[in-house]
Amino acid sequence: EPEVTQTPSHQVTQMGQEVILRCVPISNHLYFYWYRQILGQKVEFLVSFYNNEISEKSEIFDDQFSVERPDGSNFTLKIRSTKLEDSAMYFCASSPSVIYGYTFGSGTRLTVV
Amino acid sequence: AQKVTQAQTEISVVEKEDVTLDCVYETRDTTYYLFWYKQPPSGELVFLIRRNSFDEQNEISGRYSWNFQKSTSSFNFTITASQVVDSAVYFCALSEAYSGGGADGLTFGKGTHLIIQP
């Protein structure tokens, strides 16, 4: 069964550093998403991406965040200057259409120290 | 704005008991999708079910069943004859659809931590 692949599974970074989280969505999917889950809390929507541009973003997704699809397979989330409160599990998801639902990756646990 | 409420923060039952997880949602749209996801201790999000707003038929999959009632804006999830492996956090989520097949991001509830004791 096709999977969404996220790397790395765990990343530790120093406050103020830039971090890039990587995702390989399922190949024939058109819609891509990033979500965040702070430890013990609910999963929160960050951004959706379609046709090489952001289609929707939440209030969390401020100027520190950016997304990119640099080639035909990767989908990345960049945090420019990490803060302690950015520590969370970050999930990538992809979908061919909402009718078919979303497939989530296994997540990247980001720890900012 | 859309909202999903899972009022039960934690439920603990003994193995083989039936358990129902509640989910109440709010949306202004007439076309939307409801989901349940399971998050085991390992942390990944496991898809369980998707239901669109035009399909109010209840669904059964093995020991799992779902009761969708538009009149009360609820989409409850029942596990019959629970097992220890069912222990996890369960999230209900809502997505509003738009033309072209895309959708807003999922709005998740806060989750219900289900503990099945042997």
Side-chain angles (χ1 to χ4, degrees), chain A:
Chain A
E1 188 171 329
E3 291 183 343
V4 173
T5 304
Q6 289 187 245
T7 55
S9 57
H10 191 188
Q11 181 154 358
V12 181
T13 189
Q14 287 200 329
M15 190 169 55
Q17 295 294 307
E18 175 182 286
V19 65
I20 297 176
L21 309 183
R22 303 181 190 280
C23 170
V24 179
I26 294 173
S27 61
N28 63 345
H29 285 190
L30 302 176
Y31 300 89
F32 313 112
Y33 307 84
W34 283 101
Y35 291 82
R36 178 183 82 175
Q37 185 182 30
I38 295 171
L39 186 64
Q41 298 187 23
K42 69 176 180 179
V43 181
E44 299 173 293
F45 168 73
L46 292 178
V47 65
S48 59
F49 192 86
Y50 170 71
N51 200 24
N52 287 320
E53 61 183 19
I54 291 173
S55 54
E56 190 196 4
K57 59 184 180 180
S58 72
E59 292 176 353
I60 302 168
F61 194 87
D62 60 22
D63 291 343
Q64 294 286 354
F65 291 90
S66 62
V67 290
E68 199 176 40
R69 191 160 159 79
D71 52 43
S73 60
N74 290 286
F75 179 50
T76 61
L77 174 69
K78 182 192 291 185
I79 309 175
R80 289 190 182 81
S81 179
T82 49
K83 304 186 284 277
L84 294 176
E85 53 264 39
D86 293 327
S87 295
M89 179 76 91
Y90 288 81
F91 290 102
C92 173
S94 70
S95 172
S97 160
V98 70
I99 297 173
Y100 301 102
Y102 307 77
T103 301
F104 281 84
S106 55
T108 293
R109 179 162 298 285
L110 176 66
T111 303
V112 182
V113 297

Side-chain angles (χ1 to χ4, degrees), chain B residues 7 11-12 32 47 53 55 60 70 78 95 106 110 118:
Chain B
I11 299 174
S12 180
Y32 53 89
F47 168 79
S53 52
D55 182 2
I60 299 174
K70 285 181 80 170
T78 298
S95 177
L106 285 167
K110 292 185 177 180

Side-chain angles (χ1 to χ4, degrees), chain B residues 13-116:
Chain B
V13 299
V14 177
E15 199 172 20
K16 297 184 184 177
E17 287 186 14
D18 299 347
V19 58
T20 295
L21 310 182
D22 297 333
C23 173
V24 174
Y25 62 92
E26 295 176 28
T27 177
R28 294 169 299 184
D29 277 16
T30 56
T31 303
Y32 53 89
Y33 293 82
L34 295 162
F35 301 79
W36 276 94
Y37 285 88
K38 175 182 179 180
Q39 188 174 45
S42 51
E44 72 270 26
L45 288 168
V46 178
F47 168 79
L48 296 178
I49 190 172
R50 172 188 67 254
R51 172 67 73 224
N52 76 55
S53 52
F54 299 109
D55 182 2
E56 288 193 71
Q57 280 194 342
N58 292 328
E59 181 156 339
I60 299 174
S61 176
R63 296 183 297 106
Y64 295 170
S65 63
W66 290 269
N67 184 356
F68 176 30
Q69 292 199 344
K70 285 181 80 170
S71 60
T72 55
S73 297
S74 64
F75 187 43
N76 297 335
F77 172 33
T78 298
I79 301 175
T80 303
S82 59
Q83 300 175 1
V84 172
V85 294
D86 296 327
S87 296
V89 179
Y90 290 85
F91 291 98
C92 180
L94 166 71
S95 177
E96 294 170 344
Y98 53 81
S99 62
D104 295 347
L106 285 167
T107 297
F108 283 80
K110 292 185 177 180
T112 297
H113 184 197
L114 179 62
I115 301 168
I116 310 296

